[in-house]
């Protein structure tokens, strides 16, 4: 079924599914409400009525900005989180520290987020023994953190899916990467799946199942077993 509306003398707009189109003119616009969307714009020019027909094929699915990418498990070009432990603060990505500095996690902060949106924070070790492709040892997972809280380093709100576990790289396994990721939660009504074990955690699959977007920020430090 078609709808018919008069345009503003200078500008009018029509939204159809994923498409936003701006029309300039002073006459009439006819928009088909079923895909493929057919837009007919009629205008009077030099007393001769000219019909311009524009055919646009697009999906009727609503537009979304949510994008999910596989984590790289390393320092990338993503913005950096600030991670505060009791004895050290991680700001630059990839620095090596003694593992005893990470016994207590205090805060994670990141500015510029939407204050009312909620986010998920995760810490993983992809170098843990037994980890396969895309897997890691899960050290921490916290969901439902508000953007306003992250701006202040406040991670007390929300829900802890997996409590923080300090780094304990085993002897003989070399240097381990410990990576923090920040995801945006796209579905505020979702109940996050519980996790029964820390080992062999597939972060990307978990993010897919729980409708997360990102990662949108990261940081990483490395450490190793010390006698």
């Amino acid at each position: 079924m078609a709808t018919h509306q008069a345009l503003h003398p200078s500008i009018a707009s029509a939204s159809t599914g994923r498409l936003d189109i701006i029309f300039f003119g002073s006459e009439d616009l006819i928009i088909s409400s079923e895909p493929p969307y057919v837009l007919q714009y009629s205008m009077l020019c030099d007393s001769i009525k000219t019909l311009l027909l524009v055919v646009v094929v697009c999906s009727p699915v609503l537009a979304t900005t949510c994008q999910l990418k596989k984590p790289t498990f390393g320092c990338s070009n993503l913005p950096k989180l600030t991670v505060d432990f009791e004895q050290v603060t991680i700001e630059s990505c990839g620095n090596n520290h003694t593992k005893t500095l990470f016994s207590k996690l205090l805060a994670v902060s990141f500015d510029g987020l939407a204050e009312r949106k909620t986010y998920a924070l995760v810490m993983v070790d992809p170098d843990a023994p037994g980890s396969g492709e895309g897997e890691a040892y899960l050290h921490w997972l916290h969901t439902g953190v508000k953007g306003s809280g992250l701006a202040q380093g406040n991670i007390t709100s929300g829900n802890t899916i997996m409590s923080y576990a300090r780094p304990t790289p085993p002897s003989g396994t070399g240097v381990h990467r410990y990576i923090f990721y920040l995801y945006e939660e796209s579905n505020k009504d979702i109940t996050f799946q519980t996790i029964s074990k820390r080992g062999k955690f597939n972060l990307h699959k978990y993010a897919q199942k729980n409708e997360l977007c990102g990662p949108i920020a990261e940081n990483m430090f490395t450490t190793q077993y010390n006698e």
Side-chain angles (χ1 to χ4, degrees):
M1 181 177 66
T3 60
H4 185 275
Q5 68 181 52
L7 298 188
H8 185 278
S10 60
I11 187 170
S13 66
S15 295
T16 55
R18 289 186 181 175
L19 190 64
D20 290 322
I21 303 176
I22 304 298
F23 299 90
F24 295 87
S26 59
E27 296 296 319
D28 296 324
L29 176 68
I30 299 174
I31 306 174
S32 170
S33 61
E34 298 294 333
Y37 299 104
V38 179
L39 312 179
Q40 298 181 12
Y41 178 55
S42 301
M43 63 184 177
L44 192 64
C45 178
D46 296 330
S47 301
I48 302 174
K49 194 168 185 178
T50 305
L51 180 66
L52 303 178
L53 179 64
V54 182
V55 179
V56 182
V57 179
C58 65
S59 169
V61 179
L62 293 178
T64 177
T65 59
C66 181
Q67 294 184 349
L68 178 64
K69 297 182 179 180
K70 289 185 178 180
T72 60
F73 293 142
C75 296
S76 72
N77 60 355
L78 286 174
K80 298 300 177 277
L81 300 163
T82 298
V83 186
D84 291 305
F85 294 89
E86 193 170 50
Q87 300 182 67
V88 66
T89 295
I90 304 300
E91 294 179 310
S92 299
C93 191
N95 292 334
N96 186 267
H97 300 274
T98 303
K99 68 176 183 179
T100 54
L101 297 177
F102 304 104
S103 58
K104 187 175 181 180
L105 175 64
L106 299 180
V108 179
S109 56
F110 189 74
D111 206 0
L113 298 172
E115 292 187 356
R116 295 185 179 181
K117 285 188 176 182
T118 56
Y119 299 85
L121 286 161
V122 60
M123 174 185 170
V124 293
D125 170 14
D127 300 309
S131 298
E133 181 69 25
E135 295 178 338
Y137 187 88
L138 178 61
H139 280 263
W140 182 54
L141 178 57
H142 195 85
T143 65
V145 183
K146 291 184 178 179
S148 56
L150 280 167
Q152 305 299 322
N154 183 358
I155 55 175
T156 58
S157 63
N159 302 291
T160 300
I161 305 300
M162 185 65 77
S163 61
Y164 174 72
R166 62 185 178 85
T168 55
S171 177
T173 59
V175 175
H176 286 233
R177 295 163 289 168
Y178 294 89
I179 308 153
F180 285 83
Y181 284 116
L182 175 68
Y183 289 85
E184 180 182 329
E185 298 175 3
S186 67
N187 185 351
K188 65 179 181 179
D189 297 320
I190 198 168
T191 300
F192 280 84
Q193 295 177 331
T194 58
I195 301 170
S196 59
K197 62 178 183 178
R198 296 181 185 268
K200 295 183 176 296
F201 174 68
N202 192 306
L203 174 56
H204 186 64
K205 288 183 178 179
Y206 187 86
Q208 283 181 316
K209 290 179 181 179
N210 292 277
E211 300 180 36
L212 297 177
C213 309
I216 59 176
E218 67 181 8
N219 216 330
M220 182 188 83
F221 65 87
T222 64
T223 191
Q224 57 281 318
Y225 177 84
N226 294 313
E227 294 291 348

